[in-house]
Amino acid sequence: MPLSEHEQRMLEQMERALYAEDPKFATALEGSGLRTYTRRRVYQAIAGFLVGIALLMAGMVAQWIWISVVGFLVMLGCAVLVVTGWRKAPRNGSPRGAMGAPGRRGSARQRRSMMNRIEERWQRRRDEQGR
């Protein structure tokens, strides 16, 4: 559920106050923690995928089907983790953490202006239909 305009303004005021009061703490909060965590998770999933390939091959060489099945399941699970982790990873220009980065404020303004345009169109249509 998106925040109302009042809530967004209050959040921005709190962020500015935090930056003014303790800029070192604020920058530590806005750091790339999510990006680092997601990247590490993707790398771990890729390593797991390679382990799954090794298990699949070892099962085929040893002719133990259950090892091959486990290897395939490991590969499948890791492939899902890579894809979901890749989609969730923040881009360079997007917000980086719990504290809104400047890019976030700009997109919020842009979103508000888009909502204002939609509301204006809605009002015009209502006024035209009411005549």
Side-chain angles (χ1 to χ4, degrees), residues 3-129:
L3 297 175
S4 69
E5 288 185 31
H6 175 69
E7 291 170 332
Q8 288 177 351
R9 276 187 265 127
M10 291 294 292
L11 182 61
E12 288 176 5
Q13 283 179 340
M14 290 168 51
E15 288 176 0
R16 280 184 293 222
L18 179 62
Y19 277 108
E21 185 177 313
D22 193 357
K24 187 175 180 181
F25 178 67
T27 54
L29 285 179
E30 87 170 14
S32 61
L34 178 63
R35 183 175 41 215
T36 303
Y37 169 75
T38 306
R39 186 180 303 142
R40 186 178 327 129
R41 183 175 171 192
V42 168
Y43 290 151
Q44 288 172 348
I46 290 171
F49 188 84
L50 295 175
V51 168
I53 290 175
L55 284 173
L56 182 72
M57 293 300 185
M60 292 175 73
V61 168
Q63 294 186 358
W64 288 343
I65 299 296
W66 65 273
I67 292 179
S68 295
V69 170
V70 169
F72 176 75
L73 292 176
V74 167
M75 288 171 52
L76 183 64
C78 290
V80 168
L81 286 176
V82 166
V83 170
T84 57
W86 196 265
R87 287 184 183 167
K88 289 180 184 178
R91 303 294 183 256
N92 288 338
S94 67
R96 294 181 296 180
M99 298 298 297
R104 179 177 174 185
R105 289 188 189 117
S107 65
R109 287 187 193 124
Q110 191 176 31
R111 193 176 320 124
R112 271 190 242 138
S113 66
M114 182 185 73
M115 289 302 292
N116 289 339
R117 286 193 314 251
I118 291 172
E119 288 175 7
E120 288 172 7
R121 290 177 189 166
W122 179 258
Q123 288 297 329
R124 275 188 275 151
R125 288 181 188 151
R126 280 183 59 192
D127 291 342
E128 289 172 2
Q129 290 177 354

